[in-house]
Amino acid sequence: MSSRDHRRFFRLRSGLLAGIGLVLALLAVQAPLSAAATDPVDLNGAYIVDRTGVLGNRAAEVQDALDELSKEEGVNLFVVYVASFTGADDREAWADDTAVKNDLGVNDVLLAIATDERLYQVSVDPDFTLSDAQLEQLETTAIRPSLRQNDWAGAAVNTATGLGELLRGQGVSDPVITPNNADPTGRGGGPTILTWVLGGTVVVVAAIVGIVFLRRRTTSSAASARSGESGPSQVDLDREVGRLLVELDDAVTTSEQELGFAVAQFGDDATATFAQTLESAKQKVRESFALKQRIDDSTPDSAEDTKAWSLQIIELCTSADAELDAQAEAFAALRELEKNPQPALDAIASGVAATRESAPRAAAALASLNGRYAPQAIATVSDNSSQAERLLSYADATAHAVPGLITAGRASEAAVSIQRAQAAVAQAGVLLAAIDTLTTALHHAVAALTSAIAEASSDTAEARALLSTAEGTARSAELSPLITQVETAVTQAQASGPSDPIAALQSLQSANAPLDAALAVEREKTQRLARTQEQLSRTLRTASDTISGVKEYVVTRRGAVSVDARTRIAEAERLLAEAHGLQATDPERALASATQANSFAQSADQSARNDVDAYSSPSSQGWPDDDGDSAALGGLFGGLFSGGGSSRRSYSGGLFGGSSSWGGSSRSSGSSRSSRSSGSRRSSSSGRSGGRRGGGGRF
């Protein structure tokens, strides 16, 4: 094309663009463009996606309701407004595909609303705690009435309110509804004659230019359309990767400066966890830039590899950002103490007094346990009263020293001391509460042991009766040793049960499990199921009690307990949660998981005791014989920022750092989140995507 042709083309194109701009402006004045149909969406970390603009100025009200539900009940509600559901077979598939695409978990609920089609759908994980009947009550009472009166924001608010009521065991209350227009954005108007005339002129010109250049653009347009069908385009991913890398690189630089100030202000011990987090973030930045270089280098890469590396960079960046945010929250809390220490000091004094007031009752309960059970049965709480008093003395002394530190101009040191005193008071309360926990566990074990002995005796009688049959004779080599093993365990349980019921129950259950499994093939399915459910209920309770006791032991002695005990108790908790999840659908697998949970809890208990014994041996640091050593045993020194509050974009923080069921769950009041997973992986148990469930329909 000659230079003259180029000039003519660009003049023509400029006129065309101006004409298009005029038509679009007129259309905008007369009637906003109709919202486009939407395929299953990528939430991109948001809790609210409004592609139609129906929320208007009520978006903040909806966000507040979602935040309240998450804070109070630990359930996250996501709300999506689109004009219509496209790119899926039906509304159910659309909502489920959106949930799966965004990796929503057990405690996540999705409400999808197609405003033009007047359809809605609720999608939850198959293991979500509410039943189908409860979800139906939510729909009929809260969702459909709101949507039928076009209360778009109210539908989300009333859904959040109804979920909270159902999760608290209440019924769904009558919703508060604010009627609205079916089309509050005014998308329904049509263009005027003038618009069509101008538009027709522009279209003619566009056709002339388009005929010349259409062929060149056909191939690239088709490729772009194909890429849009499978999620975000690579262009979108590249843009997001670039943004996140720049933001995280800057955040790391800022955090390095912040760490330097913090070390100078609060000392190395108090900032140890922040230093570790910063190093982890740096490593993720290095990994991210290395992946970006692989994308950018001259070596050809497949589209699949490029997309996978881009998504990996996004995951690394958001994870590191969340970790740094958590530390920022912890520093903010510490600096608030530095500026205004008195309320915290008053709370410490009140906490010390209240805990000491409850100490005599706890000591009496411990004395009662000592008089009734063997020493090994109560070993995990035998020194809890004295340890609690040492921690309270430490908290009291530390708090009383704070005014002097402030007067001496050592306000930062005073703030750290306040946090340590707060932690000491909290641990003292846990130590005293653990005595009640063990009392309850022993009481449950005594009752359960009687049933377990009767059940084991019944199993051995059943097995011996089976041996007298032709089929049983063929299995004699298998059954006879198991019978002997269980009979021996019964004798031992009868002898040691009164003094150490938890250990006796665990030993008997372990001995009887193989025999029970061997007999299972001979029992009717209904009988086996009933027995399994009974045994499962008992095993779940035993495992839960054991895990609770071990956790309290580890928490209050975490200064001495190594990673082995923590790993085993975490696995025990995972297996216990798995058992609860399988209880209704597969009790036999649930029993196996609960039994394993029990085993890991026992192993964690022994490992933790070994660690504490090693810590207290003469060759080690010495058993805590003063207040400071008790605080050290309780893990009150070192990094105070692990689990130091919720991050602005993080769901949860664990007691030992990271995400764990030992810690609380929180989320920000903003509309984004860094992690897309808040629960276990979904199983595919039905024809719906990911086995999800939930109702919906027309409104």
Side-chain angles (χ1 to χ4, degrees), residues 268-619:
D268 290 324
D269 283 346
T271 56
T273 301
F274 187 20
Q276 295 169 2
T277 300
L278 180 57
E279 186 55 41
S280 172
K282 287 181 179 179
Q283 179 59 33
K284 290 175 179 177
V285 168
R286 288 191 288 269
E287 292 178 29
S288 297
F289 276 119
L291 288 168
K292 185 67 168 66
Q293 179 58 37
R294 292 178 71 179
I295 295 173
D296 294 344
D297 62 21
S298 59
T299 303
D301 302 311
S302 68
E304 292 78 9
D305 284 344
T306 302
K307 182 175 182 179
W309 294 336
S310 299
L311 292 173
Q312 187 176 351
I313 292 171
I314 292 171
E315 177 62 27
L316 286 168
C317 289
T318 52
S319 173
D321 186 55
E323 292 170 0
L324 292 175
D325 285 346
Q327 301 305 318
E329 291 286 339
F331 277 118
L334 194 59
R335 285 176 177 136
E336 182 62 30
L337 286 177
E338 188 178 15
K339 290 188 297 184
N340 187 21
Q342 195 55 49
L345 290 174
D346 293 341
I348 290 169
S350 299
V352 169
T355 307
R356 278 187 169 143
E357 186 175 339
S358 65
R361 187 190 64 78
L366 182 58
S368 176
L369 294 179
N370 271 308
R372 183 174 179 183
Y373 300 105
Q376 65 269 21
I378 60 172
T380 58
V381 300
S382 59
D383 70 327
N384 278 26
S385 289
S386 57
Q387 175 72 353
E389 178 52 37
R390 286 193 289 269
L391 286 171
L392 292 174
S393 297
Y394 168 80
D396 204 14
T398 301
H400 277 89
V402 166
L405 293 172
I406 295 173
T407 301
R410 296 156 63 187
S412 299
E413 186 177 342
V416 173
S417 295
I418 289 173
Q419 280 200 339
R420 287 174 175 162
Q422 290 172 328
V425 173
Q427 280 200 20
V430 173
L431 284 164
L432 297 181
I435 297 173
D436 288 336
T437 299
L438 182 60
T439 300
T440 300
L442 289 167
H443 176 74
H444 290 160
V446 168
L449 185 60
T450 300
S451 298
I453 288 174
E455 181 182 293
S457 299
S458 174
D459 284 349
T460 55
E462 182 181 348
R464 289 197 177 280
L466 180 61
L467 287 177
S468 64
T469 66
E471 186 176 354
T473 301
R475 299 180 62 191
S476 176
E478 172 194 0
L479 294 174
S480 294
L482 297 178
I483 293 172
T484 302
Q485 175 180 296
V486 174
E487 288 177 338
T488 301
V490 167
T491 301
Q492 292 173 344
Q494 290 170 331
S496 64
S499 61
D500 193 357
I502 293 178
L505 179 62
Q506 291 171 341
S507 177
L508 181 56
Q509 288 174 336
S510 297
N512 192 43
L515 178 60
D516 192 68
L519 293 172
V521 296
E522 310 298 335
R523 294 173 177 147
E524 292 293 331
K525 182 178 180 180
T526 54
Q527 179 187 8
R528 183 171 71 249
L529 180 61
R531 288 170 57 83
T532 299
Q533 289 284 15
E534 180 181 356
Q535 188 176 2
L536 173 60
S537 177
R538 186 168 59 248
T539 305
L540 285 172
R541 174 175 289 180
T542 302
S544 179
D545 288 338
T546 303
I547 289 170
S548 296
V550 177
K551 281 173 58 178
E552 288 167 338
Y553 183 75
V554 171
V555 166
T556 55
R557 294 161 178 83
R558 64 175 180 263
V561 177
S562 70
V563 70
D564 291 342
R566 300 165 191 259
T567 300
R568 286 164 177 74
I569 200 62
E571 180 63 6
E573 285 198 298
R574 185 191 71 79
L575 288 165
L576 183 61
E578 180 177 274
H580 278 294
L582 293 169
Q583 187 173 9
T585 58
D586 195 344
E588 292 181 354
R589 282 181 59 201
L591 179 58
S593 295
T595 302
Q596 281 186 292
N598 221 343
S599 177
F600 273 99
Q602 294 174 54
S603 178
D605 179 35
Q606 187 60 54
S607 178
R609 290 202 219 179
N610 290 342
D611 289 337
V612 173
D613 289 343
Y615 180 90
S616 63
S617 67
S619 62

Side-chain angles (χ1 to χ4, degrees), residues 630-643:
S630 292
L633 176 63
L636 301 182
F637 297 114
L640 287 170
F641 298 106
S642 58

Side-chain angles (χ1 to χ4, degrees), residues 15-35:
L16 172 63
L17 293 176
I20 291 174
L22 176 61
V23 172
L24 292 179
L26 289 169
L27 287 172
V29 171
Q30 296 170 55
L33 290 172
S34 178

Side-chain angles (χ1 to χ4, degrees), residues 202-288:
V202 172
V203 168
V204 170
V205 177
I208 297 172
V209 177
I211 290 172
V212 177
F213 296 99
L214 180 61
R215 187 176 300 275
R216 294 184 181 182
R217 300 184 57 84
T218 300
T219 303
S220 60
S221 297
S224 298
R226 287 194 298 271
S227 66
E229 294 173 358
S230 57
S233 68
Q234 189 58 47
V235 173
D236 293 334
L237 289 175
D238 289 343
R239 187 181 301 113
E240 182 69 2
V241 163
R243 182 184 68 81
L244 288 175
L245 279 172
V246 171
E247 287 184 0
L248 182 58
D249 196 36
D250 289 344
V252 167
T253 301
T254 302
S255 296
E256 284 184 307
Q257 297 170 346
E258 181 77 2
L259 177 60
F261 297 142
V263 170
Q265 188 174 6
F266 300 114
D268 290 324
D269 283 346
T271 56
T273 301
F274 187 20
Q276 295 169 2
T277 300
L278 180 57
E279 186 55 41
S280 172
K282 287 181 179 179
Q283 179 59 33
K284 290 175 179 177
V285 168
R286 288 191 288 269
E287 292 178 29
S288 297

